[in-house]
Amino acid sequence: MTPTAVTRKVRVTVQQRFAPERSNPARRQWFFLYTIEIKNEGEKSVQLLHRHWVITNAHGEVEEVKGPGVVGEQPILRAGQSFRYTSGCPLQTSFGSMVGSYSMVDEDGEEFDAKIPAFALRDPTSMQ
C-alpha cells in the first residue's frame, strides 16, 4: 500500500526504497530514497512554501528538518497539476520512519498545512 494523505484537496503520495549503493552498514550508515508526488485535486492554485519533517530512527531518536520549499523549489500547482521529486534520508539504524507536512498557500492567500503521510524506512536485508 502506498502511503497517501489528502488535505484540502492536496494529495501527497510517497514511494520509498532502501539505497544500498549509498549505505555502509558496517559504519552504521543507511540511506533511503523517497519520491513524493503532490497533486492539486482542487479548483484553486496552491503553492508549496516550506517543508517540515520528523524523522525517527530505530532507537527512537528524533530529528526535525524544516526549510523553504523542496529540492530548491517552491512549486505552484494549478488545478489538476502534480509535482514529483525524489530526495534522500540518512539514518544510523537500519530502519526508521518519516512523517511531516508542507506549508501551502492558495491563490486567495489562505495558508494551510498539507499532511505528508507517515512511512517506514527499512533495509530489507537487515534483521535488526
Side-chain angles (χ1 to χ4, degrees), residues 17-73:
R17 74 172 183 86
F18 173 59
E21 69 281 2
R22 295 181 63 179
S23 300
N24 188 341
R27 292 190 173 176
R28 307 211 49 78
Q29 298 169 347
W30 286 265
F31 198 83
F32 301 88
L33 294 171
Y34 56 90
T35 299
I36 304 247
E37 182 176 32
I38 304 161
K39 183 171 185 181
N40 181 3
E41 297 178 338
E43 296 174 6
K44 295 180 180 180
S45 294
V46 296
Q47 182 175 15
L48 188 156
L49 300 176
H50 297 91
R51 69 189 182 281
H52 176 208
W53 286 106
V54 178
I55 305 162
T56 307
N57 71 18
H59 302 303
E61 297 167 335
V62 176
E63 176 185 3
E64 288 196 60
V65 176
K66 296 180 181 182
V70 291
V71 294
E73 296 188 49

Side-chain angles (χ1 to χ4, degrees), residues 4-31:
T4 302
V6 180
T7 309
R8 293 183 53 174
K9 298 187 180 181
V10 173
R11 178 178 299 273
V12 179
T13 306
V14 182
Q15 295 177 323
Q16 71 283 2
R17 74 172 183 86
F18 173 59
E21 69 281 2
R22 295 181 63 179
S23 300
N24 188 341
R27 292 190 173 176
R28 307 211 49 78
Q29 298 169 347
W30 286 265
F31 198 83

Side-chain angles (χ1 to χ4, degrees), residues 85-103:
Y85 73 95
T86 299
S87 191
C89 176
L91 282 184
Q92 293 180 342
T93 59
S94 63
F95 67 92
S97 66
M98 292 178 68
V99 66
S101 62
Y102 297 121
S103 297

